[in-house]
Amino acid sequence: IDTVRRAGKTGGVDMPQRLTRMDINCDMGESFGNWVMGNDSGMLPHITTANVACGFHASDPLTMLDTVRKAKDHGVVVGSHPGLPDLLGFGRRAMSITPEDAHAYVVYQSGALQGALTIQGLSLHHIKPHGAFYSILRTEEDLAAAVAEAVAGLTADPVLYWPAPTDSALPAACKKKGIRVVGEIYPDLEYAPDGSLILQRAKHETDVAQACAQVERYVTTGEVEAIDGSRIALDAESLCIHGDGPNCVEVATAIRQTLKNLAVEVKPATA
């Protein structure tokens, strides 16, 4: 993580004072046929990285190709957003799968996206698991090892995007294999005191000022604020802003301005 260092030390270790560079990512390409999900067109001008659905939890061939083309037009790098094979449940229902299944799901979905990227002269930037697939990969070490193997084999410089903290099963397995892990914070969600995200059952308007304050807090201190007012130190270098919230574009615009005011360069995370 690019930082400016404090003059002093804590426990003999240099403490980061503030970030000087940040990535902004968004889940995209999640429409299916005539069913539209998310404001992709509105969000693309404000982000640097897109996590594109690959057909298992959402998306279809036309949507995938169109999303990749639009991302290229905006200079946005693209990673795969593989999920469980659950179109009806939008990939949010847990399934009992084997390590072989998990490995194959990531390779199959990312491979489909790689085809769309190749047509546009682009390459796969990263992998970021979706929904219930992410949830089981937090704890199931055998599945995590299989997915880490898939991630390692998909590109020459593999990258995993993962909600911070990056110490659960999949990011740990990826780090063991030398895979770069990019941690994320979520300014449009709230944090529980244990550092876990509080997921919304239904999307509602984000408090823009609160989201910007969370971003500024993280950039300057490396911490986010939980709902009880406590502070949580996280290892992140990307912000994830959801594109399906009712005021997502307003949130993204304000966060970009906040980063500009803080002299933070907004760029994709590099391998």
Side-chain angles (χ1 to χ4, degrees), residues 109-131:
Q109 292 176 80
S110 300
L113 182 62
Q114 281 178 317
L117 289 164
T118 299
I119 292 295
Q120 294 294 335
L122 303 176
S123 58
L124 185 70
H125 179 260
H126 68 278
I127 291 90
K128 175 183 173 179
H130 164 84

Side-chain angles (χ1 to χ4, degrees), residues 43-61:
M43 291 294 290
L44 276 167
H46 305 288
I47 67 171
T48 50
T49 303
N51 319 303
V52 176
C54 306
F56 268 29
H57 78 275
S59 196
D60 57 69

Side-chain angles (χ1 to χ4, degrees), residues 204-226:
H204 53 72
E205 282 203 359
T206 296
D207 183 321
V208 177
Q210 184 173 313
C212 291
Q214 189 78 294
V215 169
E216 181 170 357
R217 183 179 301 110
Y218 183 74
V219 165
T220 56
T221 70
E223 298 175 330
V224 295
E225 185 173 279

Side-chain angles (χ1 to χ4, degrees), residues 156-170:
D157 298 303
V159 178
L160 175 76
Y161 272 49
W162 190 263
T166 62
D167 57 0
S168 52
L170 180 57

